[in-house]
């Protein structure tokens, strides 16, 4: 089983429905090729770091999928590159750590620091654990994968 | 006899000592570097958006290669800029 991830940027000038149908067309295309969609992440409208096709923002989509072969990928990439509604795309093969990282990110584990405090609440009474549970959900998932010190 | 902790130095004796560099990926067990996370990747580029060398970040060669691949992917997807001023 091979794991892949395709990230693409849809033109933000299109209407909301058109953006969704464009993204859904490629999800359907991948399913027709016989691969299973693991996750379809709508990252939303983001500011681009530099202008592409005179646009300063774009709608990001990230589709993670797995398949037995990778033979259909050039076909999908050709369709993406011919599509004028797609500004950029990138297909990446995921290793086992990448698959695990994405699964952890969806579960909300990334960015949460496993401190001694969290361990203590788990060991403590049930009231403490109930209080501790909603906190990780409220945390945004966009965070560094681990506590990292700035070093320069 | 007074131990070293009792002595009050006029100057900080730690000044001039070299801080030991380490690979943060090995130390914290990070196995995968996400190219979609600009806040994390920005730690490995300078103000112009250029990759920092290993001698500054302290990354091991294995993870420096992964960092450089992730930064280049992020640049392609306009998550990080190719060239800029005052990125940080």
């Amino acid at each position: 089983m091979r794991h892949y991830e395709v990230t693409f940027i849809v033109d933000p000038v299109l209407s909301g429905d058109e953006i969704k149908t464009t993204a859904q067309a490629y999800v359907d295309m991948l399913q027709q090729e016989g691969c299973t969609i693991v996750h379809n992440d709508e990252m939303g409208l983001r500011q681009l770091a530099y202008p592409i096709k005179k646009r300063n923002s774009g709608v990001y989509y990230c589709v993670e999928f797995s398949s037995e072969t990778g033979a259909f990928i050039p076909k999908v990439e050709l369709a993406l590159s011919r599509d004028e509604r797609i500004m950029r795309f990138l297909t990446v093969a995921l290793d086992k750590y990448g698959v695990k990282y994405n699964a952890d990110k969806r579960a909300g584990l990334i960015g949460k620091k496993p401190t001694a405090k969290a361990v203590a609440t788990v060991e403590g009474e049930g009231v403490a654990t109930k209080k501790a549970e909603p906190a990780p959900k409220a945390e945004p998932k966009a965070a560094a994968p681990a506590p990292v010190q700035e070093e320069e | 006899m007074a131990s070293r902790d009792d002595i009050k130095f006029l100057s900080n004796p730690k000044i001039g000592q070299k801080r030991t560099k380490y690979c943060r990926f090995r130390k914290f067990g990070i196995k995968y570097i996400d190219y979609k996370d600009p806040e994390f990747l920005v730690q490995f580029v300078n103000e112009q958006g250029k990759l920092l060398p290993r001698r500054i970040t302290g990354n091991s060669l294995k993870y420096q290669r992964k960092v450089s691949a992730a930064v280049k992917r992020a640049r392609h997807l306009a998550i990080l800029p190719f060239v800029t001023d005052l990125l940080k």
Side-chain angles (χ1 to χ4, degrees), chain A residues 5 7 9 49-50 60 88-89 92 98 101 105 143 147-149, chain B residues 22 24 28 32 34-37 43 73 75-78 80-82:
Chain A
E5 190 178 72
T7 312
I9 312 175
Y50 52 88
Y60 282 74
R88 275 294 156 90
F89 65 90
V92 172
Y101 175 87
K105 198 177 171 186
V148 176
Q149 290 169 332
Chain B
Y22 58 87
R24 62 187 81 181
F28 298 115
Y32 178 73
D34 190 8
Y35 60 90
K36 299 187 291 298
D37 189 356
Q43 297 172 35
R73 283 170 179 175
R75 283 176 184 161
H76 174 75
L77 286 169
L80 285 182
F82 278 96

PDB file of all heavy atoms in Angstrom, chain A residues 5 7 9 49-50 60 88-89 92 98 101 105 143 147-149, chain B residues 22 24 28 32 34-37 43 73 75-78 80-82:
ATOM      1  N   GLU A   5      -0.044  12.257  -0.975  1.00  0.00           N
ATOM      2  CA  GLU A   5      -0.722  13.465  -0.517  1.00  0.00           C
ATOM      3  C   GLU A   5      -0.617  14.471  -1.657  1.00  0.00           C
ATOM      4  O   GLU A   5       0.486  14.716  -2.150  1.00  0.00           O
ATOM      5  CB  GLU A   5      -0.003  13.981   0.727  1.00  0.00           C
ATOM      6  CG  GLU A   5      -0.707  15.077   1.451  1.00  0.00           C
ATOM      7  CD  GLU A   5       0.065  15.491   2.686  1.00  0.00           C
ATOM      8  OE1 GLU A   5       1.125  16.124   2.538  1.00  0.00           O
ATOM      9  OE2 GLU A   5      -0.369  15.173   3.778  1.00  0.00           O
ATOM     10  N   THR A   7      -1.453  18.376  -2.658  1.00  0.00           N
ATOM     11  CA  THR A   7      -1.869  19.690  -2.185  1.00  0.00           C
ATOM     12  C   THR A   7      -2.043  20.571  -3.421  1.00  0.00           C
ATOM     13  O   THR A   7      -1.167  20.575  -4.277  1.00  0.00           O
ATOM     14  CB  THR A   7      -0.801  20.299  -1.265  1.00  0.00           C
ATOM     15  OG1 THR A   7      -0.414  19.318  -0.313  1.00  0.00           O
ATOM     16  CG2 THR A   7      -1.314  21.505  -0.536  1.00  0.00           C
ATOM     17  N   ILE A   9      -3.721  24.503  -5.002  1.00  0.00           N
ATOM     18  CA  ILE A   9      -4.248  25.832  -4.707  1.00  0.00           C
ATOM     19  C   ILE A   9      -5.264  26.163  -5.791  1.00  0.00           C
ATOM     20  O   ILE A   9      -4.943  26.125  -6.980  1.00  0.00           O
ATOM     21  CB  ILE A   9      -3.125  26.897  -4.691  1.00  0.00           C
ATOM     22  CG1 ILE A   9      -1.940  26.426  -3.864  1.00  0.00           C
ATOM     23  CG2 ILE A   9      -3.665  28.214  -4.173  1.00  0.00           C
ATOM     24  CD1 ILE A   9      -0.761  27.358  -3.908  1.00  0.00           C
ATOM     25  N   ALA A  49       2.724  33.553  -0.319  1.00  0.00           N
ATOM     26  CA  ALA A  49       3.992  34.191   0.043  1.00  0.00           C
ATOM     27  C   ALA A  49       4.515  35.062  -1.096  1.00  0.00           C
ATOM     28  O   ALA A  49       5.315  35.970  -0.874  1.00  0.00           O
ATOM     29  CB  ALA A  49       5.019  33.137   0.420  1.00  0.00           C
ATOM     30  N   TYR A  50       4.086  34.767  -2.313  1.00  0.00           N
ATOM     31  CA  TYR A  50       4.454  35.588  -3.472  1.00  0.00           C
ATOM     32  C   TYR A  50       3.309  35.449  -4.477  1.00  0.00           C
ATOM     33  O   TYR A  50       2.584  34.445  -4.451  1.00  0.00           O
ATOM     34  CB  TYR A  50       5.786  35.126  -4.083  1.00  0.00           C
ATOM     35  CG  TYR A  50       5.848  33.652  -4.383  1.00  0.00           C
ATOM     36  CD1 TYR A  50       5.400  33.159  -5.609  1.00  0.00           C
ATOM     37  CD2 TYR A  50       6.324  32.742  -3.446  1.00  0.00           C
ATOM     38  CE1 TYR A  50       5.447  31.806  -5.882  1.00  0.00           C
ATOM     39  CE2 TYR A  50       6.368  31.394  -3.709  1.00  0.00           C
ATOM     40  CZ  TYR A  50       5.933  30.941  -4.935  1.00  0.00           C
ATOM     41  OH  TYR A  50       5.960  29.596  -5.203  1.00  0.00           O
ATOM     42  N   TYR A  60      -6.456  26.616  -0.382  1.00  0.00           N
ATOM     43  CA  TYR A  60      -5.614  25.424  -0.298  1.00  0.00           C
ATOM     44  C   TYR A  60      -6.462  24.192   0.022  1.00  0.00           C
ATOM     45  O   TYR A  60      -7.347  24.252   0.878  1.00  0.00           O
ATOM     46  CB  TYR A  60      -4.564  25.598   0.796  1.00  0.00           C
ATOM     47  CG  TYR A  60      -3.394  26.458   0.410  1.00  0.00           C
ATOM     48  CD1 TYR A  60      -3.524  27.828   0.307  1.00  0.00           C
ATOM     49  CD2 TYR A  60      -2.151  25.889   0.165  1.00  0.00           C
ATOM     50  CE1 TYR A  60      -2.450  28.619  -0.035  1.00  0.00           C
ATOM     51  CE2 TYR A  60      -1.064  26.681  -0.183  1.00  0.00           C
ATOM     52  CZ  TYR A  60      -1.224  28.041  -0.274  1.00  0.00           C
ATOM     53  OH  TYR A  60      -0.162  28.814  -0.616  1.00  0.00           O
ATOM     54  N   ARG A  88      -1.524  26.000  -8.378  1.00  0.00           N
ATOM     55  CA  ARG A  88      -0.334  25.208  -8.072  1.00  0.00           C
ATOM     56  C   ARG A  88      -0.778  23.860  -7.536  1.00  0.00           C
ATOM     57  O   ARG A  88      -1.861  23.757  -6.949  1.00  0.00           O
ATOM     58  CB  ARG A  88       0.523  25.861  -6.978  1.00  0.00           C
ATOM     59  CG  ARG A  88       1.500  26.897  -7.397  1.00  0.00           C
ATOM     60  CD  ARG A  88       2.607  26.391  -8.232  1.00  0.00           C
ATOM     61  NE  ARG A  88       3.176  27.458  -9.040  1.00  0.00           N
ATOM     62  CZ  ARG A  88       4.173  28.242  -8.650  1.00  0.00           C
ATOM     63  NH1 ARG A  88       4.728  28.070  -7.494  1.00  0.00           N
ATOM     64  NH2 ARG A  88       4.623  29.196  -9.430  1.00  0.00           N
ATOM     65  N   PHE A  89       0.058  22.862  -7.703  1.00  0.00           N
ATOM     66  CA  PHE A  89      -0.215  21.579  -7.051  1.00  0.00           C
ATOM     67  C   PHE A  89       1.101  20.901  -6.741  1.00  0.00           C
ATOM     68  O   PHE A  89       2.138  21.208  -7.335  1.00  0.00           O
ATOM     69  CB  PHE A  89      -1.097  20.676  -7.932  1.00  0.00           C
ATOM     70  CG  PHE A  89      -0.432  20.261  -9.214  1.00  0.00           C
ATOM     71  CD1 PHE A  89       0.320  19.102  -9.286  1.00  0.00           C
ATOM     72  CD2 PHE A  89      -0.559  21.041 -10.338  1.00  0.00           C
ATOM     73  CE1 PHE A  89       0.945  18.746 -10.464  1.00  0.00           C
ATOM     74  CE2 PHE A  89       0.059  20.686 -11.524  1.00  0.00           C
ATOM     75  CZ  PHE A  89       0.813  19.537 -11.590  1.00  0.00           C
ATOM     76  N   VAL A  92       3.037  14.369  -3.178  1.00  0.00           N
ATOM     77  CA  VAL A  92       4.139  13.901  -2.337  1.00  0.00           C
ATOM     78  C   VAL A  92       3.836  12.472  -1.907  1.00  0.00           C
ATOM     79  O   VAL A  92       2.702  12.169  -1.531  1.00  0.00           O
ATOM     80  CB  VAL A  92       4.297  14.811  -1.095  1.00  0.00           C
ATOM     81  CG1 VAL A  92       5.291  14.245  -0.126  1.00  0.00           C
ATOM     82  CG2 VAL A  92       4.705  16.206  -1.500  1.00  0.00           C
ATOM     83  N   GLY A  98       5.226  10.100   7.865  1.00  0.00           N
ATOM     84  CA  GLY A  98       4.287  11.091   7.348  1.00  0.00           C
ATOM     85  C   GLY A  98       2.849  10.677   7.574  1.00  0.00           C
ATOM     86  O   GLY A  98       2.004  11.493   7.940  1.00  0.00           O
ATOM     87  N   TYR A 101       2.188  11.129  11.211  1.00  0.00           N
ATOM     88  CA  TYR A 101       2.084  12.550  11.540  1.00  0.00           C
ATOM     89  C   TYR A 101       0.708  13.082  11.180  1.00  0.00           C
ATOM     90  O   TYR A 101       0.066  13.779  11.972  1.00  0.00           O
ATOM     91  CB  TYR A 101       3.168  13.324  10.791  1.00  0.00           C
ATOM     92  CG  TYR A 101       3.094  14.822  10.956  1.00  0.00           C
ATOM     93  CD1 TYR A 101       3.716  15.458  12.017  1.00  0.00           C
ATOM     94  CD2 TYR A 101       2.375  15.612  10.057  1.00  0.00           C
ATOM     95  CE1 TYR A 101       3.631  16.811  12.187  1.00  0.00           C
ATOM     96  CE2 TYR A 101       2.281  16.975  10.220  1.00  0.00           C
ATOM     97  CZ  TYR A 101       2.918  17.572  11.276  1.00  0.00           C
ATOM     98  OH  TYR A 101       2.819  18.924  11.445  1.00  0.00           O
ATOM     99  N   LYS A 105      -2.100  14.523  13.616  1.00  0.00           N
ATOM    100  CA  LYS A 105      -2.550  15.897  13.448  1.00  0.00           C
ATOM    101  C   LYS A 105      -4.074  15.957  13.440  1.00  0.00           C
ATOM    102  O   LYS A 105      -4.673  16.849  14.044  1.00  0.00           O
ATOM    103  CB  LYS A 105      -1.993  16.441  12.130  1.00  0.00           C
ATOM    104  CG  LYS A 105      -2.012  17.940  12.045  1.00  0.00           C
ATOM    105  CD  LYS A 105      -1.386  18.390  10.750  1.00  0.00           C
ATOM    106  CE  LYS A 105      -1.597  19.865  10.553  1.00  0.00           C
ATOM    107  NZ  LYS A 105      -1.122  20.291   9.240  1.00  0.00           N
ATOM    108  N   ALA A 143       0.554  24.106  14.863  1.00  0.00           N
ATOM    109  CA  ALA A 143       1.578  24.418  15.847  1.00  0.00           C
ATOM    110  C   ALA A 143       2.786  23.556  15.540  1.00  0.00           C
ATOM    111  O   ALA A 143       2.700  22.606  14.762  1.00  0.00           O
ATOM    112  CB  ALA A 143       1.067  24.154  17.251  1.00  0.00           C
ATOM    113  N   PRO A 147       8.018  20.745  21.270  1.00  0.00           N
ATOM    114  CA  PRO A 147       8.650  21.926  21.852  1.00  0.00           C
ATOM    115  C   PRO A 147      10.057  22.099  21.299  1.00  0.00           C
ATOM    116  O   PRO A 147      10.894  21.203  21.434  1.00  0.00           O
ATOM    117  CB  PRO A 147       8.655  21.613  23.354  1.00  0.00           C
ATOM    118  CG  PRO A 147       8.497  20.152  23.455  1.00  0.00           C
ATOM    119  CD  PRO A 147       7.700  19.731  22.261  1.00  0.00           C
ATOM    120  N   VAL A 148      10.277  23.207  20.678  1.00  0.00           N
ATOM    121  CA  VAL A 148      11.573  23.427  20.033  1.00  0.00           C
ATOM    122  C   VAL A 148      12.096  24.769  20.503  1.00  0.00           C
ATOM    123  O   VAL A 148      11.368  25.747  20.552  1.00  0.00           O
ATOM    124  CB  VAL A 148      11.410  23.420  18.497  1.00  0.00           C
ATOM    125  CG1 VAL A 148      12.738  23.736  17.845  1.00  0.00           C
ATOM    126  CG2 VAL A 148      10.900  22.091  18.024  1.00  0.00           C
ATOM    127  N   GLN A 149      13.364  24.771  20.843  1.00  0.00           N
ATOM    128  CA  GLN A 149      13.956  26.010  21.307  1.00  0.00           C
ATOM    129  C   GLN A 149      14.583  26.739  20.134  1.00  0.00           C
ATOM    130  O   GLN A 149      15.196  26.125  19.272  1.00  0.00           O
ATOM    131  CB  GLN A 149      15.037  25.719  22.346  1.00  0.00           C
ATOM    132  CG  GLN A 149      14.444  25.217  23.651  1.00  0.00           C
ATOM    133  CD  GLN A 149      15.503  24.678  24.570  1.00  0.00           C
ATOM    134  OE1 GLN A 149      16.533  24.195  24.103  1.00  0.00           O
ATOM    135  NE2 GLN A 149      15.251  24.766  25.852  1.00  0.00           N
TER     136      GLN A 149
ATOM    137  N   TYR B  22      22.893  20.749  19.216  1.00  0.00           N
ATOM    138  CA  TYR B  22      22.300  19.417  19.136  1.00  0.00           C
ATOM    139  C   TYR B  22      21.273  19.420  18.012  1.00  0.00           C
ATOM    140  O   TYR B  22      20.772  20.477  17.608  1.00  0.00           O
ATOM    141  CB  TYR B  22      21.654  19.024  20.467  1.00  0.00           C
ATOM    142  CG  TYR B  22      20.584  19.963  20.938  1.00  0.00           C
ATOM    143  CD1 TYR B  22      19.262  19.800  20.528  1.00  0.00           C
ATOM    144  CD2 TYR B  22      20.879  21.048  21.762  1.00  0.00           C
ATOM    145  CE1 TYR B  22      18.280  20.673  20.930  1.00  0.00           C
ATOM    146  CE2 TYR B  22      19.897  21.927  22.164  1.00  0.00           C
ATOM    147  CZ  TYR B  22      18.611  21.728  21.755  1.00  0.00           C
ATOM    148  OH  TYR B  22      17.625  22.598  22.146  1.00  0.00           O
ATOM    149  N   ARG B  24      17.712  18.976  17.004  1.00  0.00           N
ATOM    150  CA  ARG B  24      16.426  18.991  17.715  1.00  0.00           C
ATOM    151  C   ARG B  24      15.529  17.836  17.280  1.00  0.00           C
ATOM    152  O   ARG B  24      14.687  17.388  18.046  1.00  0.00           O
ATOM    153  CB  ARG B  24      15.734  20.332  17.514  1.00  0.00           C
ATOM    154  CG  ARG B  24      15.393  20.654  16.097  1.00  0.00           C
ATOM    155  CD  ARG B  24      14.873  22.050  15.985  1.00  0.00           C
ATOM    156  NE  ARG B  24      15.959  23.019  15.968  1.00  0.00           N
ATOM    157  CZ  ARG B  24      15.770  24.325  15.891  1.00  0.00           C
ATOM    158  NH1 ARG B  24      14.563  24.798  15.826  1.00  0.00           N
ATOM    159  NH2 ARG B  24      16.771  25.151  15.872  1.00  0.00           N
ATOM    160  N   PHE B  28      14.194  15.467  20.218  1.00  0.00           N
ATOM    161  CA  PHE B  28      12.774  15.421  20.561  1.00  0.00           C
ATOM    162  C   PHE B  28      12.026  14.327  19.801  1.00  0.00           C
ATOM    163  O   PHE B  28      10.811  14.228  19.923  1.00  0.00           O
ATOM    164  CB  PHE B  28      12.113  16.779  20.297  1.00  0.00           C
ATOM    165  CG  PHE B  28      12.697  17.883  21.127  1.00  0.00           C
ATOM    166  CD1 PHE B  28      13.376  18.928  20.531  1.00  0.00           C
ATOM    167  CD2 PHE B  28      12.581  17.869  22.505  1.00  0.00           C
ATOM    168  CE1 PHE B  28      13.925  19.945  21.300  1.00  0.00           C
ATOM    169  CE2 PHE B  28      13.114  18.883  23.272  1.00  0.00           C
ATOM    170  CZ  PHE B  28      13.795  19.916  22.670  1.00  0.00           C
ATOM    171  N   TYR B  32       9.007  13.403  11.132  1.00  0.00           N
ATOM    172  CA  TYR B  32       8.439  13.904   9.875  1.00  0.00           C
ATOM    173  C   TYR B  32       8.354  15.419   9.938  1.00  0.00           C
ATOM    174  O   TYR B  32       7.916  15.975  10.946  1.00  0.00           O
ATOM    175  CB  TYR B  32       7.049  13.308   9.659  1.00  0.00           C
ATOM    176  CG  TYR B  32       6.360  13.797   8.411  1.00  0.00           C
ATOM    177  CD1 TYR B  32       6.782  13.368   7.154  1.00  0.00           C
ATOM    178  CD2 TYR B  32       5.298  14.686   8.485  1.00  0.00           C
ATOM    179  CE1 TYR B  32       6.159  13.815   6.017  1.00  0.00           C
ATOM    180  CE2 TYR B  32       4.671  15.136   7.340  1.00  0.00           C
ATOM    181  CZ  TYR B  32       5.104  14.693   6.112  1.00  0.00           C
ATOM    182  OH  TYR B  32       4.488  15.142   4.978  1.00  0.00           O
ATOM    183  N   ASP B  34       6.669  18.640   8.356  1.00  0.00           N
ATOM    184  CA  ASP B  34       5.515  19.008   7.542  1.00  0.00           C
ATOM    185  C   ASP B  34       5.859  20.241   6.714  1.00  0.00           C
ATOM    186  O   ASP B  34       6.238  21.268   7.267  1.00  0.00           O
ATOM    187  CB  ASP B  34       4.322  19.284   8.457  1.00  0.00           C
ATOM    188  CG  ASP B  34       3.037  19.430   7.676  1.00  0.00           C
ATOM    189  OD1 ASP B  34       3.059  19.166   6.464  1.00  0.00           O
ATOM    190  OD2 ASP B  34       2.026  19.797   8.289  1.00  0.00           O
ATOM    191  N   TYR B  35       5.683  20.122   5.387  1.00  0.00           N
ATOM    192  CA  TYR B  35       5.965  21.274   4.513  1.00  0.00           C
ATOM    193  C   TYR B  35       4.829  22.293   4.521  1.00  0.00           C
ATOM    194  O   TYR B  35       4.948  23.348   3.928  1.00  0.00           O
ATOM    195  CB  TYR B  35       6.258  20.791   3.085  1.00  0.00           C
ATOM    196  CG  TYR B  35       5.125  20.033   2.431  1.00  0.00           C
ATOM    197  CD1 TYR B  35       4.165  20.688   1.683  1.00  0.00           C
ATOM    198  CD2 TYR B  35       5.017  18.653   2.576  1.00  0.00           C
ATOM    199  CE1 TYR B  35       3.125  20.004   1.101  1.00  0.00           C
ATOM    200  CE2 TYR B  35       3.976  17.957   1.998  1.00  0.00           C
ATOM    201  CZ  TYR B  35       3.037  18.646   1.270  1.00  0.00           C
ATOM    202  OH  TYR B  35       2.002  17.951   0.708  1.00  0.00           O
ATOM    203  N   LYS B  36       3.717  21.986   5.187  1.00  0.00           N
ATOM    204  CA  LYS B  36       2.588  22.904   5.209  1.00  0.00           C
ATOM    205  C   LYS B  36       2.571  23.760   6.475  1.00  0.00           C
ATOM    206  O   LYS B  36       1.592  24.439   6.736  1.00  0.00           O
ATOM    207  CB  LYS B  36       1.268  22.124   5.098  1.00  0.00           C
ATOM    208  CG  LYS B  36       1.153  21.328   3.819  1.00  0.00           C
ATOM    209  CD  LYS B  36      -0.196  20.695   3.645  1.00  0.00           C
ATOM    210  CE  LYS B  36      -0.475  19.590   4.627  1.00  0.00           C
ATOM    211  NZ  LYS B  36       0.455  18.454   4.523  1.00  0.00           N
ATOM    212  N   ASP B  37       3.620  23.678   7.263  1.00  0.00           N
ATOM    213  CA  ASP B  37       3.665  24.366   8.550  1.00  0.00           C
ATOM    214  C   ASP B  37       4.715  25.479   8.496  1.00  0.00           C
ATOM    215  O   ASP B  37       5.869  25.262   8.852  1.00  0.00           O
ATOM    216  CB  ASP B  37       3.999  23.344   9.646  1.00  0.00           C
ATOM    217  CG  ASP B  37       3.852  23.934  11.030  1.00  0.00           C
ATOM    218  OD1 ASP B  37       3.577  25.138  11.126  1.00  0.00           O
ATOM    219  OD2 ASP B  37       4.011  23.197  12.007  1.00  0.00           O
ATOM    220  N   GLN B  43      11.961  28.631  11.245  1.00  0.00           N
ATOM    221  CA  GLN B  43      13.116  28.555  12.148  1.00  0.00           C
ATOM    222  C   GLN B  43      14.392  28.143  11.429  1.00  0.00           C
ATOM    223  O   GLN B  43      15.485  28.292  11.967  1.00  0.00           O
ATOM    224  CB  GLN B  43      12.850  27.537  13.249  1.00  0.00           C
ATOM    225  CG  GLN B  43      11.704  27.906  14.135  1.00  0.00           C
ATOM    226  CD  GLN B  43      11.357  26.783  15.067  1.00  0.00           C
ATOM    227  OE1 GLN B  43      12.216  26.059  15.525  1.00  0.00           O
ATOM    228  NE2 GLN B  43      10.084  26.622  15.341  1.00  0.00           N
ATOM    229  N   ARG B  73       9.561  22.463  -0.832  1.00  0.00           N
ATOM    230  CA  ARG B  73       8.170  22.165  -1.148  1.00  0.00           C
ATOM    231  C   ARG B  73       7.266  23.325  -0.740  1.00  0.00           C
ATOM    232  O   ARG B  73       6.337  23.692  -1.459  1.00  0.00           O
ATOM    233  CB  ARG B  73       7.729  20.901  -0.414  1.00  0.00           C
ATOM    234  CG  ARG B  73       8.241  19.652  -1.059  1.00  0.00           C
ATOM    235  CD  ARG B  73       7.993  18.458  -0.173  1.00  0.00           C
ATOM    236  NE  ARG B  73       8.477  17.250  -0.806  1.00  0.00           N
ATOM    237  CZ  ARG B  73       8.482  16.073  -0.216  1.00  0.00           C
ATOM    238  NH1 ARG B  73       8.049  15.944   1.018  1.00  0.00           N
ATOM    239  NH2 ARG B  73       8.939  15.024  -0.850  1.00  0.00           N
ATOM    240  N   ARG B  75       8.104  26.412  -0.551  1.00  0.00           N
ATOM    241  CA  ARG B  75       8.309  27.526  -1.479  1.00  0.00           C
ATOM    242  C   ARG B  75       7.500  27.321  -2.747  1.00  0.00           C
ATOM    243  O   ARG B  75       6.914  28.269  -3.268  1.00  0.00           O
ATOM    244  CB  ARG B  75       9.793  27.629  -1.853  1.00  0.00           C
ATOM    245  CG  ARG B  75      10.631  28.250  -0.787  1.00  0.00           C
ATOM    246  CD  ARG B  75      12.068  28.219  -1.225  1.00  0.00           C
ATOM    247  NE  ARG B  75      12.968  28.711  -0.208  1.00  0.00           N
ATOM    248  CZ  ARG B  75      14.265  28.455  -0.202  1.00  0.00           C
ATOM    249  NH1 ARG B  75      14.794  27.697  -1.149  1.00  0.00           N
ATOM    250  NH2 ARG B  75      15.021  28.936   0.736  1.00  0.00           N
ATOM    251  N   HIS B  76       7.453  26.100  -3.229  1.00  0.00           N
ATOM    252  CA  HIS B  76       6.699  25.811  -4.446  1.00  0.00           C
ATOM    253  C   HIS B  76       5.223  26.108  -4.256  1.00  0.00           C
ATOM    254  O   HIS B  76       4.561  26.616  -5.167  1.00  0.00           O
ATOM    255  CB  HIS B  76       6.905  24.341  -4.835  1.00  0.00           C
ATOM    256  CG  HIS B  76       6.070  23.900  -5.992  1.00  0.00           C
ATOM    257  ND1 HIS B  76       6.355  24.249  -7.277  1.00  0.00           N
ATOM    258  CD2 HIS B  76       4.957  23.165  -6.040  1.00  0.00           C
ATOM    259  CE1 HIS B  76       5.438  23.738  -8.081  1.00  0.00           C
ATOM    260  NE2 HIS B  76       4.573  23.068  -7.361  1.00  0.00           N
ATOM    261  N   LEU B  77       4.699  25.826  -3.074  1.00  0.00           N
ATOM    262  CA  LEU B  77       3.276  26.031  -2.796  1.00  0.00           C
ATOM    263  C   LEU B  77       2.978  27.432  -2.248  1.00  0.00           C
ATOM    264  O   LEU B  77       1.885  27.657  -1.731  1.00  0.00           O
ATOM    265  CB  LEU B  77       2.777  24.981  -1.807  1.00  0.00           C
ATOM    266  CG  LEU B  77       2.608  23.580  -2.368  1.00  0.00           C
ATOM    267  CD1 LEU B  77       2.380  22.589  -1.266  1.00  0.00           C
ATOM    268  CD2 LEU B  77       1.461  23.525  -3.354  1.00  0.00           C
ATOM    269  N   ALA B  78       3.946  28.333  -2.337  1.00  0.00           N
ATOM    270  CA  ALA B  78       3.783  29.721  -1.878  1.00  0.00           C
ATOM    271  C   ALA B  78       3.436  29.796  -0.398  1.00  0.00           C
ATOM    272  O   ALA B  78       2.754  30.710   0.044  1.00  0.00           O
ATOM    273  CB  ALA B  78       2.740  30.471  -2.703  1.00  0.00           C
ATOM    274  N   LEU B  80       6.094  29.469   1.823  1.00  0.00           N
ATOM    275  CA  LEU B  80       7.261  30.276   2.184  1.00  0.00           C
ATOM    276  C   LEU B  80       7.708  31.025   0.933  1.00  0.00           C
ATOM    277  O   LEU B  80       7.542  30.524  -0.180  1.00  0.00           O
ATOM    278  CB  LEU B  80       8.413  29.391   2.680  1.00  0.00           C
ATOM    279  CG  LEU B  80       8.336  28.789   4.065  1.00  0.00           C
ATOM    280  CD1 LEU B  80       9.596  28.008   4.339  1.00  0.00           C
ATOM    281  CD2 LEU B  80       8.153  29.847   5.123  1.00  0.00           C
ATOM    282  N   PRO B  81       8.280  32.214   1.078  1.00  0.00           N
ATOM    283  CA  PRO B  81       8.753  32.945  -0.101  1.00  0.00           C
ATOM    284  C   PRO B  81      10.101  32.410  -0.597  1.00  0.00           C
ATOM    285  O   PRO B  81      10.872  31.848   0.176  1.00  0.00           O
ATOM    286  CB  PRO B  81       8.887  34.372   0.410  1.00  0.00           C
ATOM    287  CG  PRO B  81       9.132  34.229   1.859  1.00  0.00           C
ATOM    288  CD  PRO B  81       8.444  32.994   2.313  1.00  0.00           C
ATOM    289  N   PHE B  82      10.350  32.593  -1.887  1.00  0.00           N
ATOM    290  CA  PHE B  82      11.676  32.243  -2.421  1.00  0.00           C
ATOM    291  C   PHE B  82      12.694  33.275  -1.961  1.00  0.00           C
ATOM    292  O   PHE B  82      13.750  32.924  -1.457  1.00  0.00           O
ATOM    293  CB  PHE B  82      11.636  32.210  -3.949  1.00  0.00           C
ATOM    294  CG  PHE B  82      11.095  30.931  -4.505  1.00  0.00           C
ATOM    295  CD1 PHE B  82       9.771  30.831  -4.869  1.00  0.00           C
ATOM    296  CD2 PHE B  82      11.916  29.838  -4.679  1.00  0.00           C
ATOM    297  CE1 PHE B  82       9.266  29.657  -5.381  1.00  0.00           C
ATOM    298  CE2 PHE B  82      11.423  28.662  -5.195  1.00  0.00           C
ATOM    299  CZ  PHE B  82      10.096  28.570  -5.554  1.00  0.00           C
TER     300      PHE B  82
END
